[in-house]
Amino acid sequence: MLPIHSLISSSRTKDMYLSVRKKGTVSKHTLLEESGLTVSTLTRILDELLAQNLLLEVGYGESTGGRRPTLYETNPDYGYVFGLEISRTHSRLVLADLHLTLLDEYTWAMDEYATPERLMDSVYAQVLRMLEQASIDISRVIGLGIGAVGPLDRKEGTILTPAGFTAPGWSQVRIKERLEQRLEVPVCLDNGANTALLGEYWAGGDRRQHQLLYLHAGIGLRSAIMNEGRILYGVIDTEGAVGQMIIESTGVASSVPGGNYGAWESYVSIRTLERQAREEWNRGRSTILRELSDRPEDLEFSHLIEALRAGDSAVNRIFGQAAVYCGIGLANLINILHPEEVILGGPLFSAADVFYQEAIRTALEKTYYREQYKVRFTKGSLSDNAVAAGAAALILNQLTD
């Protein structure tokens, strides 16, 4: 099994491939100006990438007085990548080309039967099905990336001790090693927030942003930070630690073992909203919720979204309060990290626009230097596919690391 990072020979050639990848379509003249290379060196590197079929000549640009410049793109069909999301509620597998165009996908419910062994059996079966359906030989698969719930050990490729899985066995899972043995392709593991940020970065048209902050709001809160196109890593995997930011020091107890009182996640999460909606149901304050469910314990997030869209005042109040707390936490992060752009993803932002808008309003109101510092907010464009698509991008990043 050939290591991914050895597919491109030298660091200078890797840098050139990455430059073309970032720009999408680029002329030789632009590459010459921005790289600082001599014409002969640039020509040699481009010829090498063309010979490997990693780059394609795709036509000619506009003339500025002389010969029309040759245009280059990375070759999307050089190989193929898989991305796998593993979360507490579902897992998703995607097949993509090297432009991260999704060719196929499959989703599993993470119920009481979704043990690591059964999930890996299913992943193996779906990989073979997708390849057969697309008439792709497995020898053309560069690798499989995984974006998983933490905590995890990226270097060892192990999911450590995640909380909240319904099925047993999700502790000390050496998933990288075990999937590599089954598929015989390289496998990379990272936490889901990091891969989601990678996915959103490559899905976006403008890659000139230097500092990016990503926040995923769903069952819990997860965050990731990017600088100059690279994910910033701490000493240990701490994607979920942002949810333990203290918003009220004497606030509610955390539902996470060892969690902080007054933690951000206790005010902003699907579980918190569901708990508050059940309390409203018991108090008889929402007729719509009572129409949607005969018992409060059966209320789910989908019911809350339905009630919110129907104009239920109690549910609207719940979402409004959570959005304010979300904005307060975002302002804290912005005041510390000063990102150029904040990307907001996950079901809370994608399913409830009123939540998204109120969270942004509150964050801007409480951001220091807000008159001089214009942070940009965007909603994640990949929606439910962000983590899996970003996991596929994780493999592509290995080409130029």
Side-chain angles (χ1 to χ4, degrees):
M1 184 165 42
L2 189 66
I4 301 169
H5 62 264
S6 66
L7 292 175
I8 301 177
S9 60
S10 68
S11 59
R12 185 175 284 182
T13 309
K14 289 179 179 183
D15 289 343
M16 184 55 58
Y17 180 83
L18 182 59
S19 293
V20 178
R21 184 182 166 211
K22 282 185 175 181
K23 294 181 181 301
T25 303
V26 61
S27 70
K28 185 174 182 178
H29 178 71
T30 299
L31 293 172
L32 187 65
E33 284 188 334
E34 295 188 358
S35 67
L37 299 173
T38 63
V39 174
S40 60
T41 300
L42 176 62
T43 300
R44 177 181 57 78
I45 291 174
L46 292 175
D47 286 346
E48 178 184 338
L49 290 169
L50 288 166
Q52 282 187 263
N53 208 30
L54 281 158
L55 287 191
L56 297 174
E57 293 182 349
V58 293
Y60 298 94
E62 294 296 324
S63 172
T64 56
R67 180 184 299 178
R68 295 171 65 193
T70 304
L71 299 177
Y72 298 90
E73 286 182 3
T74 59
N75 180 9
D77 297 323
Y78 171 81
Y80 299 89
V81 288
F82 282 96
L84 174 64
E85 174 186 5
I86 300 176
S87 79
R88 299 176 181 94
T89 58
H90 68 274
S91 289
R92 177 176 284 107
L93 179 71
V94 300
L95 169 65
D97 64 19
L98 295 202
H99 284 178
L100 294 178
T101 301
L102 298 189
L103 306 177
D104 204 345
E105 64 178 271
Y106 188 85
T107 302
W108 298 266
M110 295 297 283
D111 55 23
E112 65 271 23
Y113 302 106
T115 62
E117 291 73 19
R118 285 182 175 172
L119 180 65
M120 284 186 279
D121 285 343
S122 295
V123 168
Y124 178 71
Q126 288 302 320
V127 163
L128 296 183
R129 180 196 64 79
M130 289 181 183
L131 292 176
E132 181 180 6
Q133 190 163 317
S135 299
I136 299 169
D137 190 85
I138 197 166
S139 63
R140 301 191 64 198
V141 175
I142 294 175
L144 179 145
I146 305 171
V149 172
L152 48 82
D153 185 326
R154 291 186 301 110
K155 293 182 179 178
E156 293 298 322
T158 302
I159 298 174
L160 298 175
T161 55
F165 280 92
T166 305
W170 286 98
S171 178
Q172 303 299 322
V173 181
R174 300 181 66 84
I175 195 159
K176 167 181 163 63
E177 175 185 305
R178 291 163 71 176
L179 282 177
E180 281 184 339
Q181 289 172 350
R182 296 214 187 172
L183 297 171
E184 297 184 337
V185 300
V187 175
C188 297
L189 173 68
D190 207 332
N191 74 55
N194 286 342
T195 66
L197 178 51
L198 273 179
E200 295 291 354
Y201 174 77
W202 287 108
D206 183 1
R207 300 191 183 96
R208 292 172 296 177
Q209 300 290 348
H210 298 293
Q211 290 86 27
L212 298 176
L213 169 66
Y214 175 80
L215 179 71
H216 179 100
I219 295 295
L221 295 174
R222 297 186 282 170
S223 67
I225 308 167
M226 178 179 282
N227 184 57
E228 304 291 348
R230 292 185 176 273
I231 297 293
L232 296 184
Y233 293 100
V235 176
I236 59 172
D237 174 58
T238 58
E239 64 150 357
V242 71
Q244 292 302 311
M245 180 198 305
I246 298 172
I247 299 296
E248 292 189 0
S249 60
T250 57
V252 300
S254 174
S255 60
V256 178
N260 292 321
Y261 276 81
W264 193 18
E265 196 170 272
S266 298
Y267 299 88
V268 186
S269 70
I270 285 177
R271 285 175 176 166
T272 296
L273 290 171
E274 288 175 341
R275 175 180 56 78
Q276 292 174 341
R278 288 163 189 154
E279 292 172 356
E280 295 296 315
W281 192 102
N282 283 323
R283 293 170 183 155
R285 293 179 178 173
S286 170
T287 56
I288 294 178
L289 288 178
R290 284 177 171 263
E291 291 172 0
L292 294 172
S293 177
D294 294 332
R295 301 187 306 166
E297 57 267 29
D298 292 335
L299 282 173
E300 297 179 349
F301 183 64
S302 59
H303 296 132
L304 273 64
I305 294 299
E306 190 173 345
L308 182 68
R309 290 171 179 167
D312 185 278
S313 59
V315 174
N316 188 70
R317 184 174 63 254
I318 290 172
F319 273 85
Q321 290 171 347
V324 169
Y325 280 115
C326 184
I328 291 170
L330 277 171
N332 289 340
L333 293 175
I334 292 166
N335 288 331
I336 295 169
L337 300 171
H338 304 108
E340 290 181 74
E341 182 176 344
V342 179
I343 302 173
L344 302 174
L348 272 177
F349 293 117
S350 62
D353 192 62
V354 63
F355 178 90
Y356 173 77
Q357 296 296 340
E358 180 61 19
I360 290 175
R361 188 198 66 77
T362 303
L364 289 172
E365 181 183 276
K366 297 183 181 301
T367 296
Y368 201 56
Y369 293 123
R370 57 182 172 272
E371 297 303 323
Q372 298 84 12
Y373 169 48
K374 301 295 184 182
V375 63
R376 176 186 173 197
F377 289 90
T378 57
K379 189 182 292 188
S381 62
L382 293 176
S383 189
D384 294 341
N385 282 326
V387 175
L394 185 67
I395 293 293
L396 276 180
N397 279 13
Q398 298 292 309
L399 279 173
T400 50
D401 280 351

